[in-house]
Amino acid sequence: MHDPKKLREETAEYRRRLARRGAAELLDAALAVDGRRLQTLRRVEDLRAERNRATEEIAKKRKAGEDAQADIERMRTMGEDLKASEAALAALEEEVQGLWLQIPNYPADDMPDGEEPREERVHFTAPVFDFEPRPHWEIGTALGILDFDRATRMSGSRFALQRGMGARLERALINFMLDVHTGRGYEEVLPPFLVQEPALYGTGQLPKFREDMFQTQTGHFLISTAEIPVTNMHREEILDAKDLPIRYCAYSACFRSEAGSAGRDTRGLIRLHQFNKVELVHFTRPEESMQALEQIVRDAEEILQRLHLHYRVVTLPTGDYGFSAHKTYDIEVWLPSANMFREISSATNFLDFQARRANIRYRDEDGRVRFVHTLNASGLAVGRTMAAILEQYQQADGSVRIPDALQPYMGTDRIRRAEGAAQ
């Protein structure tokens, strides 16, 4: 959420910024309603002041033994007008608050316009095979470590079941990622996987993306990312400047309805309703947040570098990035079977956009209370990391070699089809 005062005072600048992502009309609509709200507020304040003067006048006349009936009738009419104006003001305040919440964050000046990302760097080279590389779902099924048929029978489409060495690989990746990040100074947290509406308004999933969330009969929502509960850890708090930056890492299951994705990535581990992810979240001073963005993306990259997976980093364009984001880097890992890079992490600086919505502030050395800046990145999406390992480390005999860094967690250097494994 933006500072409404700045939107009013710096309208032209915000309109220019928001126009880059096609949101200038949302600003104009909100300001139009806000203008009516301010007019109605002035009307209410004038009526309240007039009512107070009338009350004093009636008291004076009564004390002097004068007839105050006309004043009483006038105040009664004024009271009805005030009541109607206060109701109109309340409706306009609710409307404009809803409109403020619909305005997205503005893009950083160095983001590319349009729909095409800008490639920043590429690491390692794509693996070369002397056989036709297979997609990860075929590899995993043949090895008996992925079972999509039984998952579909239990839960429907877009679910996966890991078995044996597949389940061990998933667990190994989670532990490996958490160990790397806590070794770099992140504090590990294990958050709730269910949250209430205010948490989703705080991080920007609501009101815009309600259809993407799974909701329970109790009114709770299943989280789509650990960003939601971890960012809301400090909701309605005033932090101490000496404690900043604060850096958390968190494992969670994630749940997404994938509304509007019919026909996309229907096979494999890329686009599921339920998946595991390790998330990184930063709370920083405003003047340090852009530097923190560069750091958080490199922290996420370190996982891929230790696993020696071919990947690249891109800056997202204004036509294809998140509602709450100011600037986003995507990390994309190579999938040989598709001959393309696929996103495995988004690293984002939100400025104070989320902090305003969740009222997360800090007190600086001069005693001033200011909003923090928030950042997050996937560190990483576990299922997509598994898919990349299966595809980039597949062998001609159908086995999969385990990356060196992961072998201590797996207790083996290779996944093979176990003799007698259940079909």
Side-chain angles (χ1 to χ4, degrees), residues 166-179:
R168 181 183 292 188
L169 178 56
E170 184 93 1
R171 175 162 52 93
L173 283 167
I174 293 168
N175 289 335
F176 169 68
M177 292 174 186
L178 290 172
D179 285 350

Side-chain angles (χ1 to χ4, degrees), residues 18-34:
L18 290 167
R20 294 183 62 206
R21 65 178 307 173
E25 291 182 358
L26 288 172
L27 171 62
D28 292 337
L31 289 173
V33 175
D34 189 53

Side-chain angles (χ1 to χ4, degrees), residues 130-296:
D130 56 6
F131 58 92
E132 185 68 25
R134 294 187 296 171
H136 64 274
W137 59 87
E138 288 185 8
I139 299 168
T141 300
L143 289 172
I145 64 174
L146 291 176
D147 191 336
F148 294 102
D149 289 340
R150 286 186 172 89
T152 300
R153 192 185 312 161
M154 287 187 290
S155 304
S157 62
R158 296 189 187 274
F159 286 91
L161 173 65
Q162 285 96 335
R163 305 178 59 177
M165 293 300 287
R168 181 183 292 188
L169 178 56
E170 184 93 1
R171 175 162 52 93
L173 283 167
I174 293 168
N175 289 335
F176 169 68
M177 292 174 186
L178 290 172
D179 285 350
V180 170
H181 296 312
T182 55
R184 294 183 61 85
Y186 284 83
E187 179 184 346
E188 181 180 350
V189 297
L190 183 60
F193 296 173
L194 289 166
V195 296
Q196 297 175 325
E197 282 201 5
L200 294 163
Y201 277 97
T203 46
Q205 279 74 23
L206 292 182
K208 186 176 177 63
F209 302 108
R210 185 178 293 270
E211 66 175 5
D212 294 325
M213 310 294 297
F214 285 111
Q215 187 172 6
T216 71
Q217 291 181 336
T218 64
H220 291 84
F221 290 80
L222 289 163
I223 62 171
S224 56
T225 167
E227 165 202 344
I228 298 165
V230 176
T231 302
N232 278 277
M233 283 174 61
H234 295 297
R235 182 172 176 267
E236 302 292 348
E237 290 185 13
I238 299 177
L239 306 171
D240 195 315
K242 67 179 175 55
D243 295 327
L244 298 176
I246 297 172
R247 302 190 300 161
Y248 295 120
C249 66
Y251 154 75
S252 79
C254 304
F255 306 88
R256 299 184 184 179
S257 71
E258 293 296 343
S261 65
R264 298 175 58 194
D265 302 313
T266 56
R267 306 188 68 181
L269 300 171
I270 300 301
R271 197 177 297 277
L272 299 174
H273 289 310
Q274 176 188 324
F275 59 95
N276 292 316
K277 184 156 64 80
V278 171
E279 191 76 3
L280 309 176
V281 175
H282 287 199
F283 299 84
T284 75
R285 299 167 183 256
E287 62 270 19
E288 296 172 351
S289 68
M290 293 310 294
Q291 180 181 350
L293 176 61
E294 301 300 322
Q295 182 62 57
I296 200 171

Side-chain angles (χ1 to χ4, degrees), residues 17 19-22 107-108 111-116 316-321:
R17 292 169 171 173
R20 294 183 62 206
R21 65 178 307 173
M111 287 174 60
D113 288 320
E115 301 290 335
E116 290 299 317
L316 290 190
T318 57
D320 183 29
Y321 78 117

